[in-house]
Amino acid sequence: MPDGTESESRKLLGRLRDTMAEDAAGQARLDKITHLTADSMGSEVCSIYLFRDEDTLELCATEGLKKEAVHQTRMRMGEGLVGRVARSGKVVNTADAPSERGFRYMPETGEEIYSSFLGVPIQRLGETLGVLVVQTKQKREFTSDEVYALEVVAMVLAEMTELGAFVGDTAALSARHTQPTMLRGGTGQEGTTEGHVWLHEPRVMVTNLVADDPERESERLAAAIEQLRVSVDEMLAGAVEDAEQLEVLEAYRMFANSKGWRRRMEEDISRGLSAEAAVEKEQSAARARMSQVADNYLRERLHDLDDLSNRLLRILTGQGKDTGASMPADPILVARNIGPGELLEYGRQLRGIVLEEGSVGSHAAVVARALAIPLVINAPRITTEALNGDHIMVDGDQGIVHLRPDDTVVTAFRDKIAMQAEAQERYASIRQKPAVSLCGKRISLYMNAGLLADLPSLENSGAEGVGLFRTELQFLVRNKMPSRTELVRVYKRVIEAAETAGHKPVIFRTLDIGSDKVLPYMKPTDEPNPALGWRAIRVGLDRPGVMRMQLQALLRASEGRPLTLMFPFVAQWEEFRAARAEVDKAIAIERKLGHVVPEKISVGTMLETPSLAYASNKFFEEVEFVSIGGNDLKQFFFAADRENERVRRRYDTLNVSFLTFLEQIVQRCSATGTPLSFCGEDAGRPIEAICLAAIGLHRLSMRPASIGPVKSLIMRTDLDALYDVICDARERGEQSVRGAVMEYMRWQG
Ligand code: PEP
Ligand code: MG
């Protein structure tokens, strides 16, 4: 196609469209496309290789190679030049294929006589579906125009594949999005569930890929971009002072005005693509780049471009977000990512959530936990694989998703769900009972909370109260700073819910922001080590405005009832004193304003840094209670970042050093009579919980869903005997007592 490239490629695309319109079997269509492409490109060979499974490419149609090789020749990802294109997602263009790195000759195809090779990936929305190849006898490199033309054909092929144009009974392809698929991601919230897919962002389907009238398409594109620009400007004008949102909108504006983006789409149109197809081609290229970019900032910008392309496609196709599909009765939400506010809007109607991205500490994960909805994060390709209404099973314990599962998986999975339901029933039967061990020790079990969505758990989990109310969550799920009035309303609801549930106590922790908890509307601070940086009480004391506002809201919400407060991340006595003084100031202000103040206020502290464990006895005498924040304490004890997947599971909580350290804290508190509790995630893990109880931590606060399993195990354990097991393991020089504890528990049955 060296001359008259544009009109040639338009002609080719026109012929491809006719092929699609013909009532033919899938294989016949594939054959015809290879014929048309070879003919139009002036090459002797054109072949289509498509993935048969995740790792195997199959020659599905060819013009020029031996026909017997079709559906016989297969190669693995990365194998030969075709495999190289598939793996890298990049074009291979060579005049002398046999001397190329990685060349593998496949005798059954008869390709030995062809010298030049041009392979381009067949990609849709960043996912590689196969490889399109042309070959010639003549030793020559293909021109950039030819490469471009073949890429356009590949794009159309990808879209046709998506639309099921090659589906057939015999050797042709099976329809996409019909096969059972298992995706492995990470755990965001435990629990297993089954339901049907509900796409947060339904895909826009482009059916008119090829267009005859480039001028008209170009006008349509121009009009759509103009509409997009106006809407982005409007969004910017109405945007709140939200740094992150502004950054995204500025990026939108930059792309919407980008000449390069526009020019590439114009080029695609001039070669015969419709405006929609041109947008999608660009979107696909951006997605493919996304998977290769390691830099977070760049990835975010590519995501912005992806979102913008979706908006443009919606304008062009007239397909709104509302596709007319109704939400299934048992929806499992599937999204690339989702903000906490949007997730709260869906609320408890969701059976499960699967995200293509996300992290354990993300705000969406926090909300999913509060709602006790199983969540799998980092599920690769889920947004391109899943269709609205697909049957889906989510294993939040293992971080696994089964999409369109087959019968054996369904049976096994349902067994698991049934077993869990049985266990839940068992836990329900002991809900009202106290957690008393076999040796007669009474362990108090509290729940952690932070959202109003947590409140129903006060009744149905059997929690004795809220051992940790993370007040920052109310700040994190909003896109602007909540007002004092709003906070008073929220805190009142919490206090009242606890009262109705049987006068249960609530420990409010003051704002713990910074590190992994970044408020979207606060100016981000660029710190080399945020976990060791300006966070929690440090921010509260340096910029007391917000803390004062919060303390006043808490005092006002209590309406004279007793109030319990605790400060996060206190590293030395002085910080506690300064924060305590803020409480006194807030009381004085409230009195002056004529509000009633609580009849009794208890003020304690979290113990999250090793330094505080060694504070003087006087400190322990002064604080009214101490709660060990095991998540942070463990990260600082082992110097292992709790957010870093590489190290966060590296050190065992039951490591002898850590347990001994915790035991020392128990001893110090008991010497001064300071009430002590433990409220990190480990409190909710049954084996860890009984070990904590055995070393003297008799008050544990955990996720509501963990209370049943923890109580059940405590009631079956002799904590004195377990303590002996721990001591023996320690004396024997074991690194962790886990092995010994597990063996003892097994032996106990
Ligand atoms: C902790 O650090 O253990 C804790 C309970 O606080 P957070 O997880 O909110 O940091
Ligand atoms: Mg903490």
Side-chain angles (χ1 to χ4, degrees), residues 531-560:
L532 304 176
W534 198 54
R535 52 177 293 197
I537 199 66
R538 299 171 184 175
V539 181
L541 294 176
D542 292 357
R543 299 259 194 287
V546 180
M547 184 158 85
R548 281 179 193 157
M549 186 262 282
Q550 186 186 32
L551 288 172
Q552 277 182 271
L554 284 161
L555 291 167
R556 219 171 278 181
S558 72
E559 291 177 335

Side-chain angles (χ1 to χ4, degrees), residues 468 470 509 512 517 606 608 629-632 642 679-680:
L468 164 66
R470 291 180 162 107
R509 177 174 77 182
D512 180 11
K517 299 167 191 157
M606 299 276 292
E608 301 181 274
N631 307 335
D632 275 314
R642 62 191 263 193
C679 63

